[in-house]
Amino acid sequence: MIAKEFSAMDDLVQLAKDKDVAIITINNPPVNALSPGVAKAIGEAIAQVGHDDGVKAVVLIGGGRTFVAGADIKEFGKITSGKTQRGAGLLPLLLQIEDVRRPLVVAIHGSAFGGGLELAMAGHYRVAAPNAQLGQPEVKLGIIPGAGGTQRLPRLVGVTKAVEMCAEGNPITAQEALKLGLVDHLIEGDLLPGAIAFSREIAAKPLRKTRERNEKDKLGVPEQNASIFAAAREKAHTKQRGMMAPLAAIDAVEAATRLSFEEGCQVEQKLFGECLFSDQSKALIHAFFGEREVAKVPDVPKETPTLPVNSVAVVGAGTMGGGIAMVFANAGVSVLLKEADQPALDRGLAAIQKNYQSSVKRGRFTQQFAEERLKLIKPTLSYDDFGKVDMVVEAVFEGMALKKEVFGQLDRACRPGAILASNTSTLDIDEIASATSRPGAVIGTHFFSPANIMRLLEIVRGKASSKEVIATCMQLSKKLGKVGVLVGNCRGFVGNRMFGPYRREAQFLVEEGASIESVDKALFDFGMAMGPMATGDLAGLDVGWRIRKEYRHLEKTGVRQPFAEDRLCELGRYGQKTAAGWYKYDENRRPILDPEVDEMVHRWAREAGIPQRKLSSEEIVDRCIYALVNEGARILEEGIVWRAVDIDIIYLNGYGFPAYRGGPMWYADTVGLDKVYRRISEFHQQHGELWEPAPVLKRLAEEGKTFAELNREQAVMA
Ligand code: 3HC
Ligand code: NAI
């Protein structure tokens, strides 16, 4: 039993005693972030313990669901906006902990991330619950560890692992930490009593070592280290292309191998400051909070009841249906997979099996995991068992008549209360819902291809979709490992609606004289995962071609439309699937430049009277990215999303927009909306009505405001 012999320090940190062991508990829910008050209170507790001769050992532990998830990220914005002065941070506290004259054991459960791991490394010993995770994820926020992490970690785990953890930001398990020496002991069962017992054991022996900062054993020798740092830099250049923080993290760890601890910390501080004040870090922090913000739907409060989803049915086992079935199975949900006929069902199942096999080969899943998941998917050709499922996701061919027919059948087959979702990418959810007697149960769940890989899930709200159904789908997205963003019902919803103008401009640029390669290169260099022409080839140029043919009657006459892609389709060049599109493809689907396509498109353009000219990469980027921004502004204005950040999160998770630019709307804010508006107005004059500036953009530009400010001033969804 723990006797509270000390009074609580504060609401945030408590100090108690179990006989001769002092227990310092951090209680700053939900994740015990080290906000300034927490650091101060830990310091006071440490000072008190240091003066108490009755204390033989100290345990530092987190209250609630986790140890410490890091520094308080909200504080960073206050510092960079000048509201708070940047102080010495956590470094003095960590030195104070390391210097305390009692063995100090840090007990870790949940996460010890960022400043949390730095805090743990200042302790003399670390014990952990078996499911704890430890990491330095700062690079994902565009910064580097800023409280000695880049200096202490290599001293504990060696240079190779420290570089990997600091530059890539991925956590490690408690088991790996134990093997590496980052954790001394794993505690099965209750952590606190285990940690107290461990602290008594070590208090009875001489201290192993008192100050990690003085250790050098694991810091390697310059000859070996040089190749480790070179390999890490090369990896960062390819895997974290365009990002400055991973390179800064590598520099900081390198400093640990060359300099004293104090000098190394100074290098770390300087690099940390440069990263913190960069646009990249601000954008990544925006993305961090944005990902959490999109889960909050202003008119669907968090108390809204949700429906259980323990079994689902998927209709259609094609490209998307198969992937969606895997998404549910991977989350442990049983799936009834329905097809129209046996051959289609066999094809669908074979594709799923192949997919699991390749995941096992690549080490993503174990054989056992894959087999268990496969068993959860039950093939069928009828609706007979649909009465038992909690939710259906329809993924049949795109076509209103077929979708309505299927939803009529679902209405008859499913029990009251079941959710009826469509994976349509273009069709009107309300019209689909009208085929049922329960439009409140109908919603869009727009997965992205490949569904089992892509994180984005656009949840499309119909006019009648009930709040329970919306809340359930939002919650479900997290369980499925997706980022769910609620969007309104319009053609193309958010992502694809914006992607239209983006790819339209890319085509126009080629038709005006730019080479295919120069367009893709400019956007790749901007940070997009792929250029727009290569993306078109990947998705299949025929998809848009077929849709355009269907909707041609709706297009306004006299408005310029791109034609090159339709012509390529007429020549049978559909992209990767036909080994030819904007590029040619070898048998491994590697793109090969095809100068004939450039010549052909430029010739067609000349014949159509389009003057040919040279285009700079700056113009290419502005035309494509501002086309996204202008359409995004309209979407915002129409209330298709609640906030600009919803659009950003869609683009970061579904369209390969560089995270370090924060998404299209955030990027426009960083450029300055007055500048963006002026440039769009120039395009309007040069290229006509497709470029008419969105009224909200004009207003914000004139008022000197940002889209982010609009987030706060207006949150209205149509
Ligand atoms: N600071 C401030 N708020 C934080 C935070 C942090 N470090 N970490 C999480 N939060 C907030 C979230 O914004 C969220 O707030 P909300 O409920 O108002 O939306 C709430 O805590 C719960 O977070 P999650 O929804 O993410 O909870 P999960 O259980 O899904 O995940 C987690 C928990 C894995 C700890 C995840 O929150 C996470 O990865 N946090 C960030 C970790 C991180 O990046 N740490 C490094 C910070 S920088 C640093 O330490 C610098 C140092 O070197 C000086
Ligand atoms: P697909 O053509 O690969 O698969 C459709 C499947 O539905 C076929 O296997 C077909 O046999 C089956 N089917 C048709 N009628 C059926 C019925 N009555 N009952 C059971 N099965 C039936 O199509 P894909 O690409 O999977 O698209 C499905 C839906 O997902 C469409 O609405 C599409 O717009 C949407 N979508 C597609 C994306 C993509 O990249 N392919 C991305 C996001 C959404």
Side-chain angles (χ1 to χ4, degrees), residues 393-415:
V393 181
E394 164 280 310
V396 301
F397 301 129
E398 189 80 335
M400 187 50 93
L402 177 62
K403 301 267 182 199
K404 283 172 105 169
E405 185 192 318
V406 170
F407 271 76
Q409 286 157 340
L410 293 178
D411 194 29
R412 288 187 288 281
C414 295
R415 63 168 176 74

PDB file of all heavy atoms in Angstrom, residues 393-415:
ATOM      1  N   VAL A 393     -21.144  -2.071 -47.104  1.00  0.00           N
ATOM      2  CA  VAL A 393     -20.474  -1.093 -47.977  1.00  0.00           C
ATOM      3  C   VAL A 393     -20.641  -1.593 -49.407  1.00  0.00           C
ATOM      4  O   VAL A 393     -20.202  -2.695 -49.744  1.00  0.00           O
ATOM      5  CB  VAL A 393     -18.974  -0.942 -47.653  1.00  0.00           C
ATOM      6  CG1 VAL A 393     -18.344   0.100 -48.573  1.00  0.00           C
ATOM      7  CG2 VAL A 393     -18.770  -0.557 -46.195  1.00  0.00           C
ATOM      8  N   GLU A 394     -21.289  -0.780 -50.206  1.00  0.00           N
ATOM      9  CA  GLU A 394     -21.527  -1.156 -51.601  1.00  0.00           C
ATOM     10  C   GLU A 394     -20.362  -0.651 -52.452  1.00  0.00           C
ATOM     11  O   GLU A 394     -19.971   0.510 -52.343  1.00  0.00           O
ATOM     12  CB  GLU A 394     -22.883  -0.551 -52.037  1.00  0.00           C
ATOM     13  CG  GLU A 394     -23.160  -0.497 -53.508  1.00  0.00           C
ATOM     14  CD  GLU A 394     -22.473   0.687 -54.178  1.00  0.00           C
ATOM     15  OE1 GLU A 394     -22.600   1.823 -53.676  1.00  0.00           O
ATOM     16  OE2 GLU A 394     -21.776   0.449 -55.179  1.00  0.00           O
ATOM     17  N   ALA A 395     -19.802  -1.545 -53.287  1.00  0.00           N
ATOM     18  CA  ALA A 395     -18.702  -1.135 -54.187  1.00  0.00           C
ATOM     19  C   ALA A 395     -18.869  -1.812 -55.541  1.00  0.00           C
ATOM     20  O   ALA A 395     -17.968  -2.462 -56.049  1.00  0.00           O
ATOM     21  CB  ALA A 395     -17.356  -1.493 -53.559  1.00  0.00           C
ATOM     22  N   VAL A 396     -20.083  -1.650 -56.124  1.00  0.00           N
ATOM     23  CA  VAL A 396     -20.311  -2.206 -57.469  1.00  0.00           C
ATOM     24  C   VAL A 396     -19.914  -1.143 -58.502  1.00  0.00           C
ATOM     25  O   VAL A 396     -19.509  -0.038 -58.147  1.00  0.00           O
ATOM     26  CB  VAL A 396     -21.794  -2.636 -57.652  1.00  0.00           C
ATOM     27  CG1 VAL A 396     -22.171  -3.682 -56.606  1.00  0.00           C
ATOM     28  CG2 VAL A 396     -22.753  -1.458 -57.577  1.00  0.00           C
ATOM     29  N   PHE A 397     -20.055  -1.478 -59.791  1.00  0.00           N
ATOM     30  CA  PHE A 397     -19.678  -0.521 -60.844  1.00  0.00           C
ATOM     31  C   PHE A 397     -20.330   0.838 -60.594  1.00  0.00           C
ATOM     32  O   PHE A 397     -21.432   0.909 -60.053  1.00  0.00           O
ATOM     33  CB  PHE A 397     -20.174  -1.002 -62.219  1.00  0.00           C
ATOM     34  CG  PHE A 397     -19.647  -2.341 -62.645  1.00  0.00           C
ATOM     35  CD1 PHE A 397     -20.516  -3.346 -63.074  1.00  0.00           C
ATOM     36  CD2 PHE A 397     -18.289  -2.607 -62.653  1.00  0.00           C
ATOM     37  CE1 PHE A 397     -20.043  -4.584 -63.489  1.00  0.00           C
ATOM     38  CE2 PHE A 397     -17.802  -3.844 -63.065  1.00  0.00           C
ATOM     39  CZ  PHE A 397     -18.681  -4.831 -63.484  1.00  0.00           C
ATOM     40  N   GLU A 398     -19.666   1.880 -61.069  1.00  0.00           N
ATOM     41  CA  GLU A 398     -20.198   3.236 -60.915  1.00  0.00           C
ATOM     42  C   GLU A 398     -21.309   3.475 -61.940  1.00  0.00           C
ATOM     43  O   GLU A 398     -21.052   3.476 -63.143  1.00  0.00           O
ATOM     44  CB  GLU A 398     -19.040   4.237 -61.109  1.00  0.00           C
ATOM     45  CG  GLU A 398     -19.366   5.669 -60.782  1.00  0.00           C
ATOM     46  CD  GLU A 398     -19.332   5.963 -59.290  1.00  0.00           C
ATOM     47  OE1 GLU A 398     -19.514   5.037 -58.483  1.00  0.00           O
ATOM     48  OE2 GLU A 398     -19.165   7.134 -58.946  1.00  0.00           O
ATOM     49  N   GLY A 399     -22.520   3.638 -61.485  1.00  0.00           N
ATOM     50  CA  GLY A 399     -23.646   3.897 -62.386  1.00  0.00           C
ATOM     51  C   GLY A 399     -24.883   4.018 -61.518  1.00  0.00           C
ATOM     52  O   GLY A 399     -25.129   3.149 -60.668  1.00  0.00           O
ATOM     53  N   MET A 400     -25.659   5.105 -61.709  1.00  0.00           N
ATOM     54  CA  MET A 400     -26.773   5.377 -60.796  1.00  0.00           C
ATOM     55  C   MET A 400     -27.822   4.263 -60.809  1.00  0.00           C
ATOM     56  O   MET A 400     -28.299   3.845 -59.754  1.00  0.00           O
ATOM     57  CB  MET A 400     -27.402   6.737 -61.140  1.00  0.00           C
ATOM     58  CG  MET A 400     -28.443   7.199 -60.169  1.00  0.00           C
ATOM     59  SD  MET A 400     -27.902   7.132 -58.428  1.00  0.00           S
ATOM     60  CE  MET A 400     -27.274   8.792 -58.210  1.00  0.00           C
ATOM     61  N   ALA A 401     -28.163   3.755 -61.992  1.00  0.00           N
ATOM     62  CA  ALA A 401     -29.240   2.763 -62.059  1.00  0.00           C
ATOM     63  C   ALA A 401     -28.862   1.520 -61.252  1.00  0.00           C
ATOM     64  O   ALA A 401     -29.659   1.022 -60.449  1.00  0.00           O
ATOM     65  CB  ALA A 401     -29.514   2.402 -63.514  1.00  0.00           C
ATOM     66  N   LEU A 402     -27.611   1.054 -61.434  1.00  0.00           N
ATOM     67  CA  LEU A 402     -27.168  -0.147 -60.708  1.00  0.00           C
ATOM     68  C   LEU A 402     -27.115   0.118 -59.202  1.00  0.00           C
ATOM     69  O   LEU A 402     -27.552  -0.699 -58.390  1.00  0.00           O
ATOM     70  CB  LEU A 402     -25.791  -0.592 -61.219  1.00  0.00           C
ATOM     71  CG  LEU A 402     -25.168  -1.784 -60.498  1.00  0.00           C
ATOM     72  CD1 LEU A 402     -26.024  -3.042 -60.643  1.00  0.00           C
ATOM     73  CD2 LEU A 402     -23.754  -2.064 -61.013  1.00  0.00           C
ATOM     74  N   LYS A 403     -26.603   1.291 -58.825  1.00  0.00           N
ATOM     75  CA  LYS A 403     -26.492   1.601 -57.384  1.00  0.00           C
ATOM     76  C   LYS A 403     -27.885   1.603 -56.751  1.00  0.00           C
ATOM     77  O   LYS A 403     -28.083   1.084 -55.650  1.00  0.00           O
ATOM     78  CB  LYS A 403     -25.837   2.971 -57.162  1.00  0.00           C
ATOM     79  CG  LYS A 403     -24.432   3.104 -57.757  1.00  0.00           C
ATOM     80  CD  LYS A 403     -23.339   2.763 -56.782  1.00  0.00           C
ATOM     81  CE  LYS A 403     -21.978   2.959 -57.404  1.00  0.00           C
ATOM     82  NZ  LYS A 403     -20.885   2.297 -56.766  1.00  0.00           N
ATOM     83  N   LYS A 404     -28.867   2.190 -57.466  1.00  0.00           N
ATOM     84  CA  LYS A 404     -30.217   2.261 -56.895  1.00  0.00           C
ATOM     85  C   LYS A 404     -30.823   0.868 -56.778  1.00  0.00           C
ATOM     86  O   LYS A 404     -31.486   0.556 -55.779  1.00  0.00           O
ATOM     87  CB  LYS A 404     -31.112   3.185 -57.734  1.00  0.00           C
ATOM     88  CG  LYS A 404     -30.818   4.656 -57.477  1.00  0.00           C
ATOM     89  CD  LYS A 404     -31.545   5.546 -58.422  1.00  0.00           C
ATOM     90  CE  LYS A 404     -32.707   6.255 -57.817  1.00  0.00           C
ATOM     91  NZ  LYS A 404     -33.236   7.309 -58.719  1.00  0.00           N
ATOM     92  N   GLU A 405     -30.543   0.046 -57.780  1.00  0.00           N
ATOM     93  CA  GLU A 405     -31.069  -1.323 -57.737  1.00  0.00           C
ATOM     94  C   GLU A 405     -30.491  -2.050 -56.511  1.00  0.00           C
ATOM     95  O   GLU A 405     -31.209  -2.666 -55.726  1.00  0.00           O
ATOM     96  CB  GLU A 405     -30.652  -2.031 -59.026  1.00  0.00           C
ATOM     97  CG  GLU A 405     -31.222  -3.418 -59.197  1.00  0.00           C
ATOM     98  CD  GLU A 405     -30.530  -4.147 -60.350  1.00  0.00           C
ATOM     99  OE1 GLU A 405     -30.284  -3.522 -61.405  1.00  0.00           O
ATOM    100  OE2 GLU A 405     -30.192  -5.334 -60.158  1.00  0.00           O
ATOM    101  N   VAL A 406     -29.168  -1.919 -56.326  1.00  0.00           N
ATOM    102  CA  VAL A 406     -28.517  -2.595 -55.198  1.00  0.00           C
ATOM    103  C   VAL A 406     -29.051  -2.046 -53.872  1.00  0.00           C
ATOM    104  O   VAL A 406     -29.351  -2.819 -52.949  1.00  0.00           O
ATOM    105  CB  VAL A 406     -26.975  -2.443 -55.290  1.00  0.00           C
ATOM    106  CG1 VAL A 406     -26.302  -2.919 -54.018  1.00  0.00           C
ATOM    107  CG2 VAL A 406     -26.438  -3.202 -56.494  1.00  0.00           C
ATOM    108  N   PHE A 407     -29.226  -0.744 -53.758  1.00  0.00           N
ATOM    109  CA  PHE A 407     -29.710  -0.188 -52.486  1.00  0.00           C
ATOM    110  C   PHE A 407     -31.160  -0.610 -52.203  1.00  0.00           C
ATOM    111  O   PHE A 407     -31.533  -0.800 -51.040  1.00  0.00           O
ATOM    112  CB  PHE A 407     -29.514   1.339 -52.425  1.00  0.00           C
ATOM    113  CG  PHE A 407     -28.174   1.677 -51.855  1.00  0.00           C
ATOM    114  CD1 PHE A 407     -27.026   1.528 -52.620  1.00  0.00           C
ATOM    115  CD2 PHE A 407     -28.022   2.062 -50.530  1.00  0.00           C
ATOM    116  CE1 PHE A 407     -25.768   1.775 -52.088  1.00  0.00           C
ATOM    117  CE2 PHE A 407     -26.775   2.317 -49.985  1.00  0.00           C
ATOM    118  CZ  PHE A 407     -25.646   2.173 -50.764  1.00  0.00           C
ATOM    119  N   GLY A 408     -31.961  -0.788 -53.248  1.00  0.00           N
ATOM    120  CA  GLY A 408     -33.324  -1.310 -53.069  1.00  0.00           C
ATOM    121  C   GLY A 408     -33.248  -2.713 -52.470  1.00  0.00           C
ATOM    122  O   GLY A 408     -33.970  -3.048 -51.518  1.00  0.00           O
ATOM    123  N   GLN A 409     -32.312  -3.532 -53.012  1.00  0.00           N
ATOM    124  CA  GLN A 409     -32.158  -4.898 -52.504  1.00  0.00           C
ATOM    125  C   GLN A 409     -31.652  -4.883 -51.063  1.00  0.00           C
ATOM    126  O   GLN A 409     -32.117  -5.657 -50.214  1.00  0.00           O
ATOM    127  CB  GLN A 409     -31.187  -5.682 -53.402  1.00  0.00           C
ATOM    128  CG  GLN A 409     -31.813  -6.066 -54.735  1.00  0.00           C
ATOM    129  CD  GLN A 409     -30.766  -6.322 -55.831  1.00  0.00           C
ATOM    130  OE1 GLN A 409     -29.621  -5.873 -55.742  1.00  0.00           O
ATOM    131  NE2 GLN A 409     -31.178  -7.030 -56.863  1.00  0.00           N
ATOM    132  N   LEU A 410     -30.724  -3.995 -50.768  1.00  0.00           N
ATOM    133  CA  LEU A 410     -30.178  -3.907 -49.400  1.00  0.00           C
ATOM    134  C   LEU A 410     -31.284  -3.514 -48.419  1.00  0.00           C
ATOM    135  O   LEU A 410     -31.362  -4.030 -47.306  1.00  0.00           O
ATOM    136  CB  LEU A 410     -29.047  -2.871 -49.336  1.00  0.00           C
ATOM    137  CG  LEU A 410     -27.767  -3.213 -50.113  1.00  0.00           C
ATOM    138  CD1 LEU A 410     -26.756  -2.076 -50.003  1.00  0.00           C
ATOM    139  CD2 LEU A 410     -27.151  -4.507 -49.596  1.00  0.00           C
ATOM    140  N   ASP A 411     -32.130  -2.591 -48.857  1.00  0.00           N
ATOM    141  CA  ASP A 411     -33.225  -2.129 -48.004  1.00  0.00           C
ATOM    142  C   ASP A 411     -34.111  -3.304 -47.593  1.00  0.00           C
ATOM    143  O   ASP A 411     -34.571  -3.388 -46.449  1.00  0.00           O
ATOM    144  CB  ASP A 411     -34.042  -1.093 -48.791  1.00  0.00           C
ATOM    145  CG  ASP A 411     -34.977  -0.302 -47.896  1.00  0.00           C
ATOM    146  OD1 ASP A 411     -34.637  -0.130 -46.703  1.00  0.00           O
ATOM    147  OD2 ASP A 411     -36.041   0.134 -48.372  1.00  0.00           O
ATOM    148  N   ARG A 412     -34.311  -4.210 -48.537  1.00  0.00           N
ATOM    149  CA  ARG A 412     -35.172  -5.369 -48.235  1.00  0.00           C
ATOM    150  C   ARG A 412     -34.427  -6.408 -47.394  1.00  0.00           C
ATOM    151  O   ARG A 412     -34.999  -7.060 -46.536  1.00  0.00           O
ATOM    152  CB  ARG A 412     -35.675  -5.998 -49.540  1.00  0.00           C
ATOM    153  CG  ARG A 412     -36.737  -5.129 -50.240  1.00  0.00           C
ATOM    154  CD  ARG A 412     -37.358  -5.827 -51.434  1.00  0.00           C
ATOM    155  NE  ARG A 412     -36.452  -5.929 -52.577  1.00  0.00           N
ATOM    156  CZ  ARG A 412     -36.183  -4.946 -53.428  1.00  0.00           C
ATOM    157  NH1 ARG A 412     -36.780  -3.776 -53.276  1.00  0.00           N
ATOM    158  NH2 ARG A 412     -35.358  -5.103 -54.433  1.00  0.00           N
ATOM    159  N   ALA A 413     -33.108  -6.543 -47.644  1.00  0.00           N
ATOM    160  CA  ALA A 413     -32.365  -7.647 -47.019  1.00  0.00           C
ATOM    161  C   ALA A 413     -31.839  -7.322 -45.616  1.00  0.00           C
ATOM    162  O   ALA A 413     -31.630  -8.222 -44.807  1.00  0.00           O
ATOM    163  CB  ALA A 413     -31.198  -8.043 -47.914  1.00  0.00           C
ATOM    164  N   CYS A 414     -31.594  -6.040 -45.340  1.00  0.00           N
ATOM    165  CA  CYS A 414     -30.896  -5.704 -44.085  1.00  0.00           C
ATOM    166  C   CYS A 414     -31.882  -5.411 -42.960  1.00  0.00           C
ATOM    167  O   CYS A 414     -33.003  -4.961 -43.208  1.00  0.00           O
ATOM    168  CB  CYS A 414     -29.989  -4.503 -44.287  1.00  0.00           C
ATOM    169  SG  CYS A 414     -28.670  -4.894 -45.431  1.00  0.00           S
ATOM    170  N   ARG A 415     -31.410  -5.611 -41.747  1.00  0.00           N
ATOM    171  CA  ARG A 415     -32.288  -5.371 -40.593  1.00  0.00           C
ATOM    172  C   ARG A 415     -32.389  -3.868 -40.322  1.00  0.00           C
ATOM    173  O   ARG A 415     -31.473  -3.114 -40.689  1.00  0.00           O
ATOM    174  CB  ARG A 415     -31.754  -6.113 -39.368  1.00  0.00           C
ATOM    175  CG  ARG A 415     -30.401  -5.635 -38.929  1.00  0.00           C
ATOM    176  CD  ARG A 415     -30.046  -6.169 -37.564  1.00  0.00           C
ATOM    177  NE  ARG A 415     -28.696  -5.755 -37.215  1.00  0.00           N
ATOM    178  CZ  ARG A 415     -28.352  -4.514 -36.857  1.00  0.00           C
ATOM    179  NH1 ARG A 415     -29.258  -3.563 -36.786  1.00  0.00           N
ATOM    180  NH2 ARG A 415     -27.099  -4.231 -36.555  1.00  0.00           N
TER     181      ARG A 415
END
